[in-house]
């Protein structure tokens, strides 16, 4: 049984070597220690790193932990990483992404029905980016492909899991917007 | 009235993309349909109910879409906020490439000179072949000669007798191939009692004795 300091150093070593978030359960399996012990070591390490003003910190993301740049220095780091050009995601694609995030697993047809327009191009765009993926096939008629978000999606948003997203009800338009919409669609408006 | 609304919405958009345009066209079409129904002489109240249903359906659809649009804005915000929290990059990650080696100091001229140097260099033995099995000291042709000469004297001999004086496995193999070749040509007769037993080699065609063995 390693002492806690050894364990923390081991975790540090795994963190520096990994581009993807490191999951405590996997570490527990790897070195055959109880997950609770590993989780404790992780927590202590996170506190150690995140309390001091360093160039990087340990982020809790996509169900695991990962060294990430302190965003304060991000702009300069971006210049350092040659060819850094953030992909611009259009409003239409973001809309599709939001629908998939909250309604997954969902088919292209269902997405298009919500948006009122064909969504194939936005779906392809998001697939290419790796933010969404095919999850399963709809068992019902038509065997539509069902889409959902990926781990990369969680990483890019800095979330630990999908349930970390605010409830959809928080985004319902306020009363003012609702009445605006109602007014516009009123068929009995006098000319 | 509807056209006015449509145009004012269109003007608000900075860069209308195809999806948004389509969306508005669809909404405008629904509005026109509803409006035209309202202009037509009213028959029964049932139609009015249907109209209200269409209206409600459209309102709820628009509300639903607006909800997701708000959620989309929030997602955009999260992505933006997280943009600078880089992790160790993977190749092909969202627009981020690892640092590439800078090779600015090489000029076309120096490349040409390097190539010239390569071409003009005297050709030397390029391959180190000491690790390769050494070639047999005896070729198959030579083995054939030796075997024939031997058999001229003794007429028949065993494979073991023919090869007992050889120093390496390669040479034994060469002799074996020579014997097979002679057998193929009909010059030798081969006899083996059972598998892996010694092979009896007999020279055929005594008249052959005076001919050359190499073709």
């Amino acid at each position: 049984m390693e002492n806690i300091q050894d364990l923390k150093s081991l975790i540090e070593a795994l963190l520096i070597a990994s581009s993807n978030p490191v999951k405590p359960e996997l570490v527990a399996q790897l070195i055959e220690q109880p997950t609770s012990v590993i989780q404790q070591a992780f927590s202590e390490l996170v506190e150690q790193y995140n309390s001091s003003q360093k160039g990087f910190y340990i982020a809790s993301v996509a169900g695991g932990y990962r060294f990430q740049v302190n965003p304060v220095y991000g702009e300069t780091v971006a210049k350092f990483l040659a060819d850094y050009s953030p992909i611009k995601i259009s409003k239409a694609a973001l809309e599709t992404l939001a629908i998939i995030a909250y309604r997954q697993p969902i088919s292209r047809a269902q997405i298009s029905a919500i948006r009122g327009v064909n969504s194939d191009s936005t779906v392809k765009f998001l697939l290419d980016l790796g933010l969404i993926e095919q999850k399963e096939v709809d068992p019902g008629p038509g065997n539509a492909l069902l889409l959902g978000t990926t781990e990369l999606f969680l990483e890019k948003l800095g979330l630990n899991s999908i349930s970390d997203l605010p409830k959809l009800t928080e985004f319902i338009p306020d009363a003012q917007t609702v009445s605006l919409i109602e007014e516009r669609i009123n068929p009995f408006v006098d000319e | 009235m509807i056209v006015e609304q449509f145009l004012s919405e269109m003007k608000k958009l900075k860069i209308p993309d195809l999806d948004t345009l389509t969306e508005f066209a669809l909404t405008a079409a629904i509005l026109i349909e509803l409006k035209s129904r309202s202009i037509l002489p009213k028959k029964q109240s049932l139609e009015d109910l249907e109209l209200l249903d269409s209206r409600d359906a459209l309102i709820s659809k628009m509300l639903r879409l607006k909800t997701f649009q708000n959620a989309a804005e929030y997602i955009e915000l999260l992505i933006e906020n997280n943009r600078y929290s880089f992790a160790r990059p993977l190749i092909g990650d969202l627009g981020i490439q690892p640092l590439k080696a800078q090779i600015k100091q090489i000029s076309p001229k120096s490349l040409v000179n390097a190539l010239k140097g390569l071409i003009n260099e005297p050709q030397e033995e390029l391959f180190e072949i000491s690790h390769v099995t050494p070639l047999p000291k005896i070729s198959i042709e030579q083995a054939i000669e030796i075997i024939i000469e031997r058999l001229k004297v003794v007429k028949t001999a065993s494979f073991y007798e023919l090869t007992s004086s050889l120093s390496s496995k390669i040479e034994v193999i060469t002799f074996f191939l020579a014997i097979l070749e002679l057998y193929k040509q009909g010059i030798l007769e081969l006899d083996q009692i059972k598998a892996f037993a010694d092979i009896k080699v007999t020279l055929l065609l005594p008249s052959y004795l005076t001919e050359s063995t190499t073709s």
Side-chain angles (χ1 to χ4, degrees):
Chain A
M1 173 78 150
E2 298 160 346
N3 65 52
I4 193 90
Q5 186 46 54
D6 260 347
L7 197 51
K8 291 203 296 198
S9 297
L10 170 71
I11 291 170
E12 258 179 333
L14 291 171
L15 285 174
I16 198 71
S18 178
S19 301
N20 294 318
V22 178
K23 300 191 188 192
E25 313 85 60
L26 288 180
V27 177
Q29 263 179 41
L30 187 72
I31 61 171
E32 290 168 11
Q33 296 284 333
T35 310
S36 54
V37 173
I38 305 295
Q39 184 59 60
Q40 173 68 20
F42 264 103
S43 302
E44 284 184 28
L45 205 58
V46 167
E47 220 188 282
Q48 241 174 267
Y49 270 91
N50 295 0
S51 56
S52 46
Q53 171 71 355
K54 290 168 97 99
F56 58 98
Y57 66 107
I58 298 181
S60 170
V61 75
Y65 296 89
R66 180 170 68 178
F67 280 133
Q68 285 182 190
V69 166
N70 184 339
V72 165
Y73 306 105
E75 209 176 323
T76 311
V77 173
K79 289 183 198 158
F80 180 78
L81 294 174
D83 302 338
Y84 169 65
S85 52
I87 305 273
K88 175 82 180 77
I89 306 181
S90 69
K91 285 262 177 280
L94 281 167
E95 225 174 75
T96 305
L97 188 57
I99 292 169
I100 295 174
Y102 279 98
R103 287 284 166 90
Q104 56 186 310
I106 185 173
S107 73
R108 273 172 227 246
Q110 288 167 320
I111 298 168
S112 298
I114 294 174
R115 293 187 62 225
V117 288
N118 184 287
S119 305
D120 285 356
S121 61
T122 52
V123 166
K124 182 174 190 320
F125 178 70
L126 294 169
L127 280 170
D128 287 344
L129 277 184
L131 293 174
I132 63 174
E133 64 187 356
Q134 184 201 327
K135 293 290 185 183
E136 60 208 48
V137 177
D138 189 355
N143 297 322
L145 299 176
L146 299 176
L147 303 158
T149 53
T150 59
E151 286 224 344
L152 185 66
F153 171 79
L154 291 174
E155 288 177 34
K156 287 299 161 191
L157 270 62
L159 300 171
N160 234 321
S161 78
I162 276 292
S163 50
D164 287 345
L165 280 173
K167 295 263 173 290
L168 190 60
T169 46
E170 290 188 30
F171 295 112
I172 290 176
D174 56 24
Q176 198 183 25
T177 316
V178 173
S179 42
L180 274 174
I181 293 175
E182 278 188 334
E183 270 170 45
R184 272 200 215 152
I185 303 181
N186 191 340
F188 303 114
V189 166
D190 294 323
E191 289 293 341
Chain B
M1 175 71 175
I2 291 173
V3 174
E4 267 175 40
Q5 279 181 346
F6 193 125
L7 286 175
S8 68
E9 279 306 306
M10 293 298 296
K11 277 177 196 159
K12 280 184 209 166
L13 296 172
K14 286 174 194 158
I15 308 168
D17 62 305
L18 193 59
D19 281 344
T20 319
L21 283 174
T22 321
E23 197 184 301
F24 270 101
L26 179 67
T27 314
I30 295 175
L31 290 172
I32 290 169
E33 224 241 313
L34 288 173
K35 187 68 187 174
S36 61
R37 279 204 222 169
S38 74
I39 293 171
L40 291 171
K42 294 178 172 44
K43 285 180 195 167
Q44 283 132 35
S45 57
L46 192 63
E47 284 210 338
D48 286 349
L49 278 177
E50 275 180 15
L51 205 58
L52 285 171
D53 278 347
S54 312
R55 177 180 176 265
D56 283 342
L58 184 58
I59 288 175
S60 66
K61 272 192 182 164
M62 288 186 75
L63 282 177
R64 180 175 62 174
L65 183 56
K66 188 72 184 134
T67 306
F68 281 116
Q69 283 171 344
N70 291 341
E73 273 176 28
Y74 181 75
I75 285 176
E76 188 180 24
L77 196 66
L78 286 182
I79 293 175
E80 181 60 32
N81 282 351
N82 211 42
R83 188 156 72 96
Y84 281 149
S85 295
F86 296 113
R88 301 273 305 285
L90 294 166
I91 312 286
D93 200 3
L94 257 181
I96 301 169
Q97 300 292 329
L99 197 60
K100 295 191 174 102
Q102 306 293 326
I103 39 173
K104 290 180 189 138
Q105 293 80 17
I106 299 177
S107 69
K109 189 159 180 223
S110 56
L111 275 177
V112 170
N113 287 336
L115 183 60
K116 276 190 190 163
L118 262 179
I119 293 172
N120 296 333
E121 238 177 53
Q123 291 296 323
E124 288 173 6
E125 181 62 60
L126 289 171
F127 299 108
E128 176 65 68
I129 55 167
S130 59
H131 63 284
V132 173
T133 311
L135 297 171
K137 302 190 186 80
I138 303 176
S139 72
I140 296 184
E141 286 88 356
Q142 289 170 321
I144 287 176
E145 273 189 41
I146 294 171
I147 291 166
I148 299 280
E149 287 310 306
R150 185 101 180 91
L151 289 176
K152 275 185 201 175
V153 176
V154 297
K155 305 284 188 312
T156 185
S158 78
F159 184 71
Y160 178 74
E161 286 164 3
L162 287 171
T163 55
S164 56
S165 59
L166 298 176
S167 51
S168 73
K169 208 192 316 187
I170 282 281
E171 287 170 353
V172 174
I173 293 171
T174 309
F175 263 63
F176 185 70
L177 291 172
I179 283 167
L180 284 181
E181 179 59 33
L182 290 171
Y183 174 73
K184 217 165 62 174
Q185 290 181 22
I187 295 168
L188 291 182
E189 189 183 272
L190 297 177
D191 225 329
Q192 196 179 32
I193 308 167
K194 59 173 183 176
F196 301 116
D198 203 356
I199 304 170
K200 197 167 99 171
V201 184
T202 314
L203 185 64
L204 299 174
L205 312 167
S207 60
Y208 178 73
L209 295 173
T210 54
E211 286 172 29
S212 165
T213 52
T214 52
S215 50

